Amino acid sequence: TVDPLDQQADMAVVDEDLVAGLEHGTEDVGRDRKVFGAACLLTGDDDPVVADLLRWTLNRGGFRVEHASSGPEGIDMARRLNPDAITLDVMMPGMDGWEVISSLKADPDLSRIPVVMVTIVDDRKTAYALGANDFLAKPIDRERLSAVLQQYTHGRSPRYALVVDDQEDNRL
């Protein structure tokens, strides 16, 4: 008979460098873990503290998060990434959030992407009139934010993968 402990000792360890090299469809969500197939969110906010808070909160919620710190960067990233949803602040220098959402909703390739306004500017009527799917006022209620985004990303949950094979040629 084969001792299960001996089998465990022979199991290969996942090559973290290979996993880290996978760029599309993965995101760090904690030490040494990657989320495969997680919903991609694009956040638009010029405040680095808010951007870090959003990334931390949404990563913990199982989302893959990309960040744009300006309106033009956000539109460009939306075209490249085709995210599952976008969070957007109103108060940004140069091109504000109202201009960004107007551009997104005017573009046939981007108009279907749900946009959640996350801002201190209390103007729900303008947000909805410009095509926002939801509106959350700052300070951010993290649980509410995650719940709202789950609704617009169809509740896609992360899938974790561990590949174990004693044959090096069969590994990722």
Side-chain angles (χ1 to χ4, degrees):
T1 65
V2 177
D3 183 354
L5 293 176
D6 288 339
Q7 281 184 323
Q8 287 178 350
D10 290 337
M11 290 182 180
V13 176
V14 174
D15 185 338
E16 286 298 316
D17 291 333
L18 281 176
V19 174
L22 298 173
E23 294 179 8
H24 186 66
T26 66
E27 180 65 34
D28 289 319
V29 290
R31 191 167 192 275
D32 298 327
R33 291 193 301 165
K34 302 281 181 186
V35 176
F36 292 83
C40 176
L41 301 178
L42 175 60
T43 63
D45 198 308
D46 65 316
D47 185 334
V49 173
V50 172
D52 286 344
L53 176 63
L54 286 170
R55 180 181 302 277
W56 181 83
T57 298
L58 297 172
N59 279 162
R60 287 182 54 94
F63 296 102
R64 183 168 67 93
V65 181
E66 299 292 336
H67 177 72
S69 57
S70 71
E73 180 184 19
I75 293 169
D76 179 56
M77 289 180 74
R79 283 191 183 105
R80 285 188 293 111
L81 297 171
N82 193 28
D84 294 291
I86 297 171
T87 67
L88 187 58
D89 186 21
V90 171
M91 296 175 54
M92 293 189 290
M95 183 180 209
D96 67 23
W98 301 134
E99 293 172 283
V100 174
I101 192 171
S102 295
S103 294
L104 293 170
K105 296 304 178 179
D107 185 324
D109 294 330
L110 304 176
S111 63
R112 65 140 195 91
I113 301 171
V115 177
V116 177
M117 301 303 293
V118 179
T119 183
I120 199 161
V121 176
D122 191 17
D123 194 350
R124 292 172 191 273
K125 288 181 182 178
T126 300
Y128 291 125
L130 292 174
N133 296 78
D134 218 320
F135 183 96
L136 299 174
K138 289 180 183 176
I140 300 167
D141 177 339
R142 293 179 294 198
E143 289 179 18
R144 173 85 176 116
L145 176 63
S146 289
V148 165
L149 290 169
Q150 283 290 336
Q151 171 184 321
Y152 294 112
T153 58
H154 309 293
R156 282 178 50 191
S157 61
R159 296 182 302 271
Y160 300 97
L162 172 64
V163 177
V164 179
D165 195 310
D166 64 344
Q167 299 294 319
E168 187 172 348
D169 292 342
N170 294 338
R171 296 181 202 154
L172 290 176

PDB file of all heavy atoms in Angstrom, residues 34-49:
ATOM      1  N   LYS A  34      -4.556  33.773  -6.336  1.00  0.00           N
ATOM      2  CA  LYS A  34      -5.008  34.487  -7.520  1.00  0.00           C
ATOM      3  C   LYS A  34      -6.461  34.127  -7.753  1.00  0.00           C
ATOM      4  O   LYS A  34      -6.884  33.014  -7.477  1.00  0.00           O
ATOM      5  CB  LYS A  34      -4.201  34.076  -8.765  1.00  0.00           C
ATOM      6  CG  LYS A  34      -2.710  34.291  -8.642  1.00  0.00           C
ATOM      7  CD  LYS A  34      -2.375  35.715  -8.852  1.00  0.00           C
ATOM      8  CE  LYS A  34      -0.859  35.890  -8.742  1.00  0.00           C
ATOM      9  NZ  LYS A  34      -0.489  37.260  -8.797  1.00  0.00           N
ATOM     10  N   VAL A  35      -7.233  35.075  -8.272  1.00  0.00           N
ATOM     11  CA  VAL A  35      -8.623  34.814  -8.601  1.00  0.00           C
ATOM     12  C   VAL A  35      -8.711  34.617 -10.101  1.00  0.00           C
ATOM     13  O   VAL A  35      -8.287  35.462 -10.872  1.00  0.00           O
ATOM     14  CB  VAL A  35      -9.525  35.995  -8.192  1.00  0.00           C
ATOM     15  CG1 VAL A  35     -10.957  35.744  -8.630  1.00  0.00           C
ATOM     16  CG2 VAL A  35      -9.470  36.206  -6.700  1.00  0.00           C
ATOM     17  N   PHE A  36      -9.235  33.468 -10.510  1.00  0.00           N
ATOM     18  CA  PHE A  36      -9.411  33.168 -11.917  1.00  0.00           C
ATOM     19  C   PHE A  36     -10.879  33.356 -12.268  1.00  0.00           C
ATOM     20  O   PHE A  36     -11.748  32.820 -11.598  1.00  0.00           O
ATOM     21  CB  PHE A  36      -8.984  31.725 -12.210  1.00  0.00           C
ATOM     22  CG  PHE A  36      -7.508  31.524 -12.055  1.00  0.00           C
ATOM     23  CD1 PHE A  36      -6.949  31.289 -10.818  1.00  0.00           C
ATOM     24  CD2 PHE A  36      -6.680  31.584 -13.156  1.00  0.00           C
ATOM     25  CE1 PHE A  36      -5.591  31.119 -10.680  1.00  0.00           C
ATOM     26  CE2 PHE A  36      -5.315  31.406 -13.025  1.00  0.00           C
ATOM     27  CZ  PHE A  36      -4.765  31.168 -11.782  1.00  0.00           C
ATOM     28  N   GLY A  37     -11.158  34.108 -13.319  1.00  0.00           N
ATOM     29  CA  GLY A  37     -12.525  34.285 -13.770  1.00  0.00           C
ATOM     30  C   GLY A  37     -13.314  35.280 -12.940  1.00  0.00           C
ATOM     31  O   GLY A  37     -14.523  35.356 -13.073  1.00  0.00           O
ATOM     32  N   ALA A  38     -12.662  36.045 -12.075  1.00  0.00           N
ATOM     33  CA  ALA A  38     -13.377  37.028 -11.267  1.00  0.00           C
ATOM     34  C   ALA A  38     -13.852  38.167 -12.152  1.00  0.00           C
ATOM     35  O   ALA A  38     -13.241  38.476 -13.175  1.00  0.00           O
ATOM     36  CB  ALA A  38     -12.464  37.568 -10.166  1.00  0.00           C
ATOM     37  N   ALA A  39     -14.947  38.786 -11.756  1.00  0.00           N
ATOM     38  CA  ALA A  39     -15.460  39.941 -12.488  1.00  0.00           C
ATOM     39  C   ALA A  39     -14.428  41.052 -12.457  1.00  0.00           C
ATOM     40  O   ALA A  39     -13.817  41.325 -11.431  1.00  0.00           O
ATOM     41  CB  ALA A  39     -16.776  40.408 -11.875  1.00  0.00           C
ATOM     42  N   CYS A  40     -14.234  41.707 -13.606  1.00  0.00           N
ATOM     43  CA  CYS A  40     -13.283  42.818 -13.718  1.00  0.00           C
ATOM     44  C   CYS A  40     -14.011  44.137 -13.480  1.00  0.00           C
ATOM     45  O   CYS A  40     -15.003  44.424 -14.138  1.00  0.00           O
ATOM     46  CB  CYS A  40     -12.644  42.820 -15.103  1.00  0.00           C
ATOM     47  SG  CYS A  40     -11.531  44.221 -15.368  1.00  0.00           S
ATOM     48  N   LEU A  41     -13.509  44.917 -12.531  1.00  0.00           N
ATOM     49  CA  LEU A  41     -14.066  46.226 -12.244  1.00  0.00           C
ATOM     50  C   LEU A  41     -13.037  47.291 -12.553  1.00  0.00           C
ATOM     51  O   LEU A  41     -11.854  47.126 -12.274  1.00  0.00           O
ATOM     52  CB  LEU A  41     -14.447  46.331 -10.772  1.00  0.00           C
ATOM     53  CG  LEU A  41     -15.467  45.330 -10.262  1.00  0.00           C
ATOM     54  CD1 LEU A  41     -15.702  45.541  -8.779  1.00  0.00           C
ATOM     55  CD2 LEU A  41     -16.765  45.457 -11.017  1.00  0.00           C
ATOM     56  N   LEU A  42     -13.505  48.377 -13.118  1.00  0.00           N
ATOM     57  CA  LEU A  42     -12.663  49.547 -13.362  1.00  0.00           C
ATOM     58  C   LEU A  42     -13.131  50.633 -12.415  1.00  0.00           C
ATOM     59  O   LEU A  42     -14.325  50.948 -12.380  1.00  0.00           O
ATOM     60  CB  LEU A  42     -12.801  50.002 -14.813  1.00  0.00           C
ATOM     61  CG  LEU A  42     -12.066  51.292 -15.192  1.00  0.00           C
ATOM     62  CD1 LEU A  42     -10.560  51.169 -14.961  1.00  0.00           C
ATOM     63  CD2 LEU A  42     -12.366  51.645 -16.644  1.00  0.00           C
ATOM     64  N   THR A  43     -12.217  51.172 -11.613  1.00  0.00           N
ATOM     65  CA  THR A  43     -12.558  52.274 -10.721  1.00  0.00           C
ATOM     66  C   THR A  43     -11.959  53.558 -11.272  1.00  0.00           C
ATOM     67  O   THR A  43     -10.829  53.555 -11.758  1.00  0.00           O
ATOM     68  CB  THR A  43     -12.047  52.030  -9.281  1.00  0.00           C
ATOM     69  OG1 THR A  43     -10.618  51.954  -9.288  1.00  0.00           O
ATOM     70  CG2 THR A  43     -12.627  50.750  -8.706  1.00  0.00           C
ATOM     71  N   GLY A  44     -12.717  54.624 -11.207  1.00  0.00           N
ATOM     72  CA  GLY A  44     -12.241  55.933 -11.656  1.00  0.00           C
ATOM     73  C   GLY A  44     -12.326  56.927 -10.523  1.00  0.00           C
ATOM     74  O   GLY A  44     -13.423  57.325 -10.110  1.00  0.00           O
ATOM     75  N   ASP A  45     -11.174  57.304  -9.976  1.00  0.00           N
ATOM     76  CA  ASP A  45     -11.121  58.264  -8.878  1.00  0.00           C
ATOM     77  C   ASP A  45      -9.705  58.824  -8.831  1.00  0.00           C
ATOM     78  O   ASP A  45      -8.738  58.066  -8.893  1.00  0.00           O
ATOM     79  CB  ASP A  45     -11.484  57.595  -7.548  1.00  0.00           C
ATOM     80  CG  ASP A  45     -11.870  58.595  -6.488  1.00  0.00           C
ATOM     81  OD1 ASP A  45     -11.098  59.555  -6.240  1.00  0.00           O
ATOM     82  OD2 ASP A  45     -12.951  58.434  -5.894  1.00  0.00           O
ATOM     83  N   ASP A  46      -9.587  60.146  -8.712  1.00  0.00           N
ATOM     84  CA  ASP A  46      -8.258  60.756  -8.703  1.00  0.00           C
ATOM     85  C   ASP A  46      -7.602  60.743  -7.331  1.00  0.00           C
ATOM     86  O   ASP A  46      -6.416  61.028  -7.215  1.00  0.00           O
ATOM     87  CB  ASP A  46      -8.333  62.198  -9.218  1.00  0.00           C
ATOM     88  CG  ASP A  46      -9.153  63.110  -8.313  1.00  0.00           C
ATOM     89  OD1 ASP A  46     -10.234  62.681  -7.862  1.00  0.00           O
ATOM     90  OD2 ASP A  46      -8.718  64.247  -8.057  1.00  0.00           O
ATOM     91  N   ASP A  47      -8.323  60.390  -6.284  1.00  0.00           N
ATOM     92  CA  ASP A  47      -7.781  60.360  -4.927  1.00  0.00           C
ATOM     93  C   ASP A  47      -7.120  59.004  -4.680  1.00  0.00           C
ATOM     94  O   ASP A  47      -7.807  57.978  -4.640  1.00  0.00           O
ATOM     95  CB  ASP A  47      -8.915  60.597  -3.928  1.00  0.00           C
ATOM     96  CG  ASP A  47      -8.431  60.697  -2.489  1.00  0.00           C
ATOM     97  OD1 ASP A  47      -7.362  60.127  -2.153  1.00  0.00           O
ATOM     98  OD2 ASP A  47      -9.136  61.328  -1.684  1.00  0.00           O
ATOM     99  N   PRO A  48      -5.799  58.976  -4.494  1.00  0.00           N
ATOM    100  CA  PRO A  48      -5.111  57.688  -4.311  1.00  0.00           C
ATOM    101  C   PRO A  48      -5.556  56.932  -3.064  1.00  0.00           C
ATOM    102  O   PRO A  48      -5.550  55.704  -3.043  1.00  0.00           O
ATOM    103  CB  PRO A  48      -3.634  58.057  -4.245  1.00  0.00           C
ATOM    104  CG  PRO A  48      -3.563  59.521  -4.086  1.00  0.00           C
ATOM    105  CD  PRO A  48      -4.868  60.106  -4.499  1.00  0.00           C
ATOM    106  N   VAL A  49      -5.962  57.642  -2.010  1.00  0.00           N
ATOM    107  CA  VAL A  49      -6.428  56.974  -0.796  1.00  0.00           C
ATOM    108  C   VAL A  49      -7.744  56.245  -1.088  1.00  0.00           C
ATOM    109  O   VAL A  49      -7.923  55.085  -0.699  1.00  0.00           O
ATOM    110  CB  VAL A  49      -6.600  57.987   0.367  1.00  0.00           C
ATOM    111  CG1 VAL A  49      -7.236  57.321   1.578  1.00  0.00           C
ATOM    112  CG2 VAL A  49      -5.264  58.608   0.730  1.00  0.00           C
TER     113      VAL A  49
END
